[in-house]
Amino acid sequence: MTDDPTPPAGTPDPDDDVGAARRAVVRQGVSVAVATSLYGVSFGALSVAGGLSVAQTCALSLLLFSGGSQFALIGILGGGGTAGAAVAAASLLGVRNALYGLQLVPTMLPTGWRRFALAQLTIDESTAVAVSQSAPPLRRLGFWVTGLGVYAGWNLMTFLGALAGDALGDPQRYGLDAAASAAFVALLWPRLRARQPVAIAIVGAVVTTVLVPVIPQGLPVLAAALVGALIALWWPDRWRAGEAAG
Amino acid sequence: MSTWIAVITASVIAFGLKLAGYTVPRARLEHPRVLRVTQVLPAALLASLVVLQTFSTGTHLVLDARAAGLGAAVVALLLRAPFIVVVIVAAATAALLRLGGFAS
């Protein structure tokens, strides 16, 4: 879509109205950014409750910048797991961001230094808003508005959450440990729309439950990932027929 | 100190993965086997993290106020509550149960 020098005024067809379409994308991106940023508060508070410092908590949001991976890292470290297990789980969860980049290459046409900013902002939310637009310029707009909006809001709210968590003291008194459970189940929820991810989630939960008392902390989550991967590889194709992409 | 190492290492790997999407040849990431695994990994990992965060303390399985919080979170999700509400509902449930002395 190129900028039309003479937009027909008062036309009933919204496709002709580039300005309105762009405003709609900006509105969508901003609302996603605000909603996502709000739970940056819970990340900040939970991270401090899990034993990380305010600086470490903020560094995660600035540098790692991928919600699921951040929650996984602080969850395992806070639960007494090793740094290696925490990094491994966070990294496995981050693999999906590589697939998002792959989807976005034709739209975003990355060049030079911009590809680094592009990469850092490639997360669930920016990708979702970008790919749901109808034309490449709107996709690019959606990506940048959402990505930059989430980046700014997520980091600000992480900082505020970390300060609040620091001030609150005993995290259990406020149910912050249950809040972490809720954060993980809320991240999992939207993925349970097809048979395969449901089956894999159940197996992952069972494997974890069985292994917790048996193997060192941090390893059950990696075992669950391994078993999930094996199931995905051996999942019969005929079971996939007619399913939404898992 | 090892926490800082974990923070930095995880961040470097996360950025490398993000960048890989834009730089690694498509054929390698789009290989059917790779796609199959990467599409379901989050479900396995997140389900495992739900169990760890809710039912374990160290290497022990435990049933406490967190389980009730998780149940409340699931109800909130069924009612299509937004993320932040789900988290607050779970925290409030666990906090109130502990305050009332009904759970540890």
Side-chain angles (χ1 to χ4, degrees), chain A residues 45-95:
Chain A
L46 289 171
S47 177
V48 171
L52 279 77
S53 68
V54 174
Q56 287 163 342
T57 301
C58 290
L60 278 175
S61 283
L62 284 165
L63 303 175
L64 203 163
F65 190 55
S66 191
S69 298
Q70 292 181 229
F71 277 112
L73 189 89
I74 62 162
I76 294 174
L77 285 179
T82 63
V87 169
S91 301
L92 285 173
L93 269 170
V95 169

Short mmCIF file of all heavy atoms in Angstrom, two decimals, chain A residues 45-95:
data_model
loop_
_atom_site.label_atom_id
_atom_site.label_comp_id
_atom_site.label_asym_id
_atom_site.label_seq_id
_atom_site.Cartn_x
_atom_site.Cartn_y
_atom_site.Cartn_z
N ALA A 45 7.65 -8.43 40.54
CA ALA A 45 7.44 -8.82 41.94
C ALA A 45 7.86 -10.27 42.18
O ALA A 45 8.51 -10.58 43.18
CB ALA A 45 5.97 -8.62 42.30
N LEU A 46 7.50 -11.16 41.23
CA LEU A 46 7.83 -12.58 41.41
C LEU A 46 9.33 -12.81 41.34
O LEU A 46 9.88 -13.66 42.04
CB LEU A 46 7.14 -13.41 40.32
CG LEU A 46 5.63 -13.54 40.45
CD1 LEU A 46 5.04 -14.19 39.22
CD2 LEU A 46 5.28 -14.34 41.69
N SER A 47 10.00 -12.06 40.48
CA SER A 47 11.44 -12.24 40.33
C SER A 47 12.16 -11.89 41.62
O SER A 47 13.04 -12.63 42.08
CB SER A 47 11.93 -11.37 39.17
OG SER A 47 13.32 -11.47 39.04
N VAL A 48 11.78 -10.76 42.21
CA VAL A 48 12.39 -10.36 43.48
C VAL A 48 12.03 -11.37 44.58
O VAL A 48 12.87 -11.75 45.40
CB VAL A 48 11.95 -8.93 43.86
CG1 VAL A 48 12.40 -8.59 45.27
CG2 VAL A 48 12.53 -7.94 42.87
N ALA A 49 10.76 -11.83 44.56
CA ALA A 49 10.34 -12.85 45.53
C ALA A 49 11.15 -14.13 45.35
O ALA A 49 11.40 -14.86 46.31
CB ALA A 49 8.85 -13.14 45.38
N GLY A 50 11.56 -14.41 44.12
CA GLY A 50 12.33 -15.62 43.83
C GLY A 50 13.80 -15.49 44.18
O GLY A 50 14.57 -16.42 43.93
N GLY A 51 14.20 -14.33 44.67
CA GLY A 51 15.57 -14.19 45.15
C GLY A 51 16.49 -13.38 44.24
O GLY A 51 17.66 -13.18 44.56
N LEU A 52 15.98 -12.89 43.10
CA LEU A 52 16.82 -12.06 42.25
C LEU A 52 16.80 -10.62 42.77
O LEU A 52 15.83 -10.20 43.41
CB LEU A 52 16.33 -12.09 40.79
CG LEU A 52 16.76 -13.31 39.97
CD1 LEU A 52 15.95 -14.53 40.33
CD2 LEU A 52 16.66 -13.03 38.47
N SER A 53 17.86 -9.88 42.47
CA SER A 53 17.89 -8.48 42.88
C SER A 53 17.06 -7.65 41.91
O SER A 53 16.68 -8.12 40.84
CB SER A 53 19.33 -7.98 42.89
OG SER A 53 19.82 -7.92 41.56
N VAL A 54 16.79 -6.41 42.29
CA VAL A 54 16.05 -5.50 41.40
C VAL A 54 16.83 -5.32 40.10
O VAL A 54 16.26 -5.33 39.00
CB VAL A 54 15.80 -4.14 42.09
CG1 VAL A 54 15.18 -3.15 41.12
CG2 VAL A 54 14.89 -4.32 43.30
N ALA A 55 18.15 -5.19 40.20
CA ALA A 55 18.98 -4.99 39.00
C ALA A 55 18.92 -6.21 38.08
O ALA A 55 18.79 -6.08 36.85
CB ALA A 55 20.42 -4.69 39.41
N GLN A 56 19.01 -7.40 38.68
CA GLN A 56 18.96 -8.63 37.86
C GLN A 56 17.59 -8.75 37.19
O GLN A 56 17.49 -9.15 36.03
CB GLN A 56 19.23 -9.85 38.74
CG GLN A 56 20.69 -9.97 39.14
CD GLN A 56 20.90 -10.90 40.32
OE1 GLN A 56 19.96 -11.22 41.07
NE2 GLN A 56 22.13 -11.35 40.49
N THR A 57 16.55 -8.40 37.93
CA THR A 57 15.19 -8.47 37.41
C THR A 57 15.02 -7.53 36.21
O THR A 57 14.51 -7.93 35.16
CB THR A 57 14.19 -8.08 38.52
OG1 THR A 57 14.35 -8.99 39.60
CG2 THR A 57 12.76 -8.12 38.02
N CYS A 58 15.51 -6.31 36.36
CA CYS A 58 15.39 -5.34 35.26
C CYS A 58 16.27 -5.75 34.08
O CYS A 58 15.88 -5.56 32.92
CB CYS A 58 15.77 -3.94 35.74
SG CYS A 58 14.54 -3.26 36.86
N ALA A 59 17.44 -6.33 34.36
CA ALA A 59 18.31 -6.77 33.28
C ALA A 59 17.61 -7.84 32.43
O ALA A 59 17.73 -7.85 31.20
CB ALA A 59 19.63 -7.32 33.85
N LEU A 60 16.86 -8.73 33.09
CA LEU A 60 16.15 -9.77 32.35
C LEU A 60 15.13 -9.16 31.38
O LEU A 60 15.03 -9.58 30.22
CB LEU A 60 15.43 -10.72 33.31
CG LEU A 60 16.29 -11.82 33.92
CD1 LEU A 60 15.47 -12.61 34.93
CD2 LEU A 60 16.82 -12.75 32.84
N SER A 61 14.38 -8.17 31.85
CA SER A 61 13.37 -7.58 30.97
C SER A 61 14.02 -6.77 29.85
O SER A 61 13.52 -6.75 28.73
CB SER A 61 12.41 -6.70 31.78
OG SER A 61 11.49 -7.52 32.47
N LEU A 62 15.14 -6.11 30.16
CA LEU A 62 15.82 -5.31 29.13
C LEU A 62 16.50 -6.19 28.10
O LEU A 62 16.43 -5.92 26.90
CB LEU A 62 16.87 -4.40 29.78
CG LEU A 62 16.34 -3.15 30.51
CD1 LEU A 62 17.43 -2.56 31.39
CD2 LEU A 62 15.84 -2.11 29.49
N LEU A 63 17.18 -7.25 28.56
CA LEU A 63 18.05 -8.03 27.68
C LEU A 63 17.38 -9.29 27.16
O LEU A 63 17.44 -9.59 25.97
CB LEU A 63 19.35 -8.40 28.42
CG LEU A 63 20.15 -7.22 28.96
CD1 LEU A 63 21.34 -7.70 29.77
CD2 LEU A 63 20.61 -6.32 27.82
N LEU A 64 16.77 -10.07 28.05
CA LEU A 64 16.16 -11.33 27.60
C LEU A 64 14.84 -11.03 26.87
O LEU A 64 14.60 -11.53 25.79
CB LEU A 64 15.96 -12.26 28.79
CG LEU A 64 15.87 -13.76 28.46
CD1 LEU A 64 16.07 -14.61 29.70
CD2 LEU A 64 14.55 -14.14 27.83
N PHE A 65 14.03 -10.20 27.46
CA PHE A 65 12.80 -9.70 26.85
C PHE A 65 12.00 -10.77 26.11
O PHE A 65 11.86 -10.74 24.89
CB PHE A 65 13.12 -8.53 25.89
CG PHE A 65 11.88 -7.83 25.40
CD1 PHE A 65 10.96 -7.31 26.30
CD2 PHE A 65 11.61 -7.71 24.05
CE1 PHE A 65 9.80 -6.67 25.86
CE2 PHE A 65 10.46 -7.09 23.59
CZ PHE A 65 9.56 -6.56 24.49
N SER A 66 11.50 -11.73 26.87
CA SER A 66 10.58 -12.73 26.33
C SER A 66 9.88 -13.32 27.57
O SER A 66 10.52 -14.02 28.35
CB SER A 66 11.33 -13.80 25.54
OG SER A 66 10.43 -14.60 24.82
N GLY A 67 8.61 -12.98 27.76
CA GLY A 67 7.93 -13.26 29.01
C GLY A 67 8.04 -14.68 29.51
O GLY A 67 8.43 -14.92 30.64
N GLY A 68 7.69 -15.65 28.66
CA GLY A 68 7.70 -17.05 29.08
C GLY A 68 9.08 -17.47 29.58
O GLY A 68 9.21 -18.11 30.63
N SER A 69 10.11 -17.09 28.82
CA SER A 69 11.48 -17.46 29.20
C SER A 69 11.87 -16.80 30.52
O SER A 69 12.55 -17.41 31.36
CB SER A 69 12.47 -17.03 28.12
OG SER A 69 12.21 -17.69 26.91
N GLN A 70 11.45 -15.56 30.70
CA GLN A 70 11.79 -14.85 31.94
C GLN A 70 11.13 -15.51 33.15
O GLN A 70 11.77 -15.72 34.18
CB GLN A 70 11.36 -13.39 31.86
CG GLN A 70 12.15 -12.58 30.85
CD GLN A 70 11.70 -11.12 30.79
OE1 GLN A 70 11.47 -10.59 29.73
NE2 GLN A 70 11.57 -10.47 31.94
N PHE A 71 9.84 -15.86 33.01
CA PHE A 71 9.14 -16.53 34.11
C PHE A 71 9.80 -17.89 34.40
O PHE A 71 9.93 -18.30 35.55
CB PHE A 71 7.66 -16.72 33.78
CG PHE A 71 6.80 -15.51 34.06
CD1 PHE A 71 6.22 -14.80 33.03
CD2 PHE A 71 6.57 -15.09 35.36
CE1 PHE A 71 5.42 -13.68 33.28
CE2 PHE A 71 5.78 -13.98 35.63
CZ PHE A 71 5.19 -13.27 34.59
N ALA A 72 10.19 -18.60 33.34
CA ALA A 72 10.81 -19.91 33.54
C ALA A 72 12.13 -19.77 34.28
O ALA A 72 12.42 -20.52 35.23
CB ALA A 72 11.04 -20.59 32.18
N LEU A 73 12.93 -18.81 33.87
CA LEU A 73 14.25 -18.62 34.49
C LEU A 73 14.12 -18.31 35.99
O LEU A 73 14.76 -18.95 36.83
CB LEU A 73 15.01 -17.48 33.80
CG LEU A 73 16.47 -17.36 34.22
CD1 LEU A 73 17.35 -18.23 33.34
CD2 LEU A 73 16.96 -15.93 34.18
N ILE A 74 13.25 -17.36 36.32
CA ILE A 74 13.13 -17.00 37.74
C ILE A 74 12.42 -18.10 38.53
O ILE A 74 12.71 -18.31 39.70
CB ILE A 74 12.41 -15.65 37.95
CG1 ILE A 74 10.98 -15.71 37.42
CG2 ILE A 74 13.19 -14.52 37.28
CD1 ILE A 74 10.08 -14.62 37.95
N GLY A 75 11.51 -18.84 37.86
CA GLY A 75 10.80 -19.92 38.55
C GLY A 75 11.77 -21.02 38.97
O GLY A 75 11.70 -21.51 40.10
N ILE A 76 12.67 -21.38 38.07
CA ILE A 76 13.60 -22.48 38.37
C ILE A 76 14.68 -22.01 39.35
O ILE A 76 15.01 -22.71 40.30
CB ILE A 76 14.20 -23.05 37.07
CG1 ILE A 76 13.08 -23.71 36.26
CG2 ILE A 76 15.32 -24.04 37.37
CD1 ILE A 76 13.49 -24.18 34.90
N LEU A 77 15.20 -20.81 39.14
CA LEU A 77 16.20 -20.28 40.08
C LEU A 77 15.58 -20.13 41.47
O LEU A 77 16.18 -20.51 42.48
CB LEU A 77 16.73 -18.93 39.61
CG LEU A 77 17.72 -18.93 38.44
CD1 LEU A 77 18.12 -17.50 38.10
CD2 LEU A 77 18.95 -19.77 38.75
N GLY A 78 14.35 -19.58 41.51
CA GLY A 78 13.68 -19.36 42.79
C GLY A 78 13.34 -20.67 43.49
O GLY A 78 13.31 -20.74 44.71
N GLY A 79 13.10 -21.73 42.69
CA GLY A 79 12.76 -23.03 43.26
C GLY A 79 13.99 -23.80 43.70
O GLY A 79 13.88 -24.94 44.16
N GLY A 80 15.17 -23.22 43.52
CA GLY A 80 16.39 -23.88 43.96
C GLY A 80 17.10 -24.66 42.87
O GLY A 80 18.06 -25.38 43.13
N GLY A 81 16.62 -24.54 41.62
CA GLY A 81 17.28 -25.23 40.50
C GLY A 81 18.61 -24.59 40.18
O GLY A 81 18.89 -23.45 40.58
N THR A 82 19.43 -25.31 39.41
CA THR A 82 20.74 -24.77 39.06
C THR A 82 20.61 -23.71 37.97
O THR A 82 19.61 -23.66 37.24
CB THR A 82 21.66 -25.87 38.52
OG1 THR A 82 21.08 -26.37 37.31
CG2 THR A 82 21.81 -27.01 39.51
N ALA A 83 21.63 -22.88 37.85
CA ALA A 83 21.65 -21.85 36.81
C ALA A 83 21.58 -22.51 35.43
O ALA A 83 20.90 -22.02 34.53
CB ALA A 83 22.91 -21.01 36.94
N GLY A 84 22.26 -23.63 35.28
CA GLY A 84 22.27 -24.32 33.98
C GLY A 84 20.88 -24.78 33.58
O GLY A 84 20.46 -24.59 32.43
N ALA A 85 20.15 -25.37 34.51
CA ALA A 85 18.79 -25.84 34.21
C ALA A 85 17.88 -24.66 33.89
O ALA A 85 17.06 -24.72 32.97
CB ALA A 85 18.23 -26.63 35.38
N ALA A 86 18.06 -23.57 34.64
CA ALA A 86 17.22 -22.39 34.41
C ALA A 86 17.48 -21.81 33.02
O ALA A 86 16.54 -21.47 32.28
CB ALA A 86 17.49 -21.34 35.48
N VAL A 87 18.76 -21.72 32.65
CA VAL A 87 19.11 -21.17 31.33
C VAL A 87 18.59 -22.09 30.23
O VAL A 87 18.05 -21.62 29.22
CB VAL A 87 20.64 -20.99 31.21
CG1 VAL A 87 21.03 -20.68 29.77
CG2 VAL A 87 21.11 -19.87 32.14
N ALA A 88 18.71 -23.40 30.43
CA ALA A 88 18.27 -24.35 29.40
C ALA A 88 16.76 -24.24 29.18
O ALA A 88 16.30 -24.18 28.04
CB ALA A 88 18.64 -25.77 29.81
N ALA A 89 15.99 -24.19 30.26
CA ALA A 89 14.54 -24.11 30.11
C ALA A 89 14.13 -22.79 29.45
O ALA A 89 13.29 -22.77 28.55
CB ALA A 89 13.85 -24.25 31.47
N ALA A 90 14.75 -21.70 29.89
CA ALA A 90 14.43 -20.40 29.30
C ALA A 90 14.76 -20.39 27.81
O ALA A 90 14.01 -19.85 26.99
CB ALA A 90 15.20 -19.29 30.02
N SER A 91 15.89 -21.01 27.45
CA SER A 91 16.31 -21.00 26.05
C SER A 91 15.39 -21.85 25.19
O SER A 91 15.04 -21.47 24.06
CB SER A 91 17.74 -21.51 25.93
OG SER A 91 18.60 -20.69 26.70
N LEU A 92 14.96 -23.01 25.72
CA LEU A 92 14.05 -23.87 24.95
C LEU A 92 12.74 -23.12 24.68
O LEU A 92 12.17 -23.22 23.59
CB LEU A 92 13.77 -25.17 25.70
CG LEU A 92 14.91 -26.18 25.67
CD1 LEU A 92 14.61 -27.36 26.59
CD2 LEU A 92 15.15 -26.68 24.26
N LEU A 93 12.29 -22.37 25.67
CA LEU A 93 11.06 -21.61 25.46
C LEU A 93 11.26 -20.49 24.45
O LEU A 93 10.31 -20.04 23.81
CB LEU A 93 10.58 -21.00 26.79
CG LEU A 93 9.62 -21.87 27.59
CD1 LEU A 93 9.42 -21.29 28.98
CD2 LEU A 93 8.28 -21.98 26.88
N GLY A 94 12.50 -20.04 24.29
CA GLY A 94 12.79 -18.95 23.36
C GLY A 94 12.93 -19.39 21.92
O GLY A 94 13.02 -18.55 21.02
N VAL A 95 12.95 -20.71 21.69
CA VAL A 95 13.13 -21.21 20.32
C VAL A 95 12.02 -20.72 19.40
O VAL A 95 12.23 -20.46 18.23
CB VAL A 95 13.18 -22.76 20.32
CG1 VAL A 95 13.11 -23.30 18.90
CG2 VAL A 95 14.45 -23.24 21.00
#
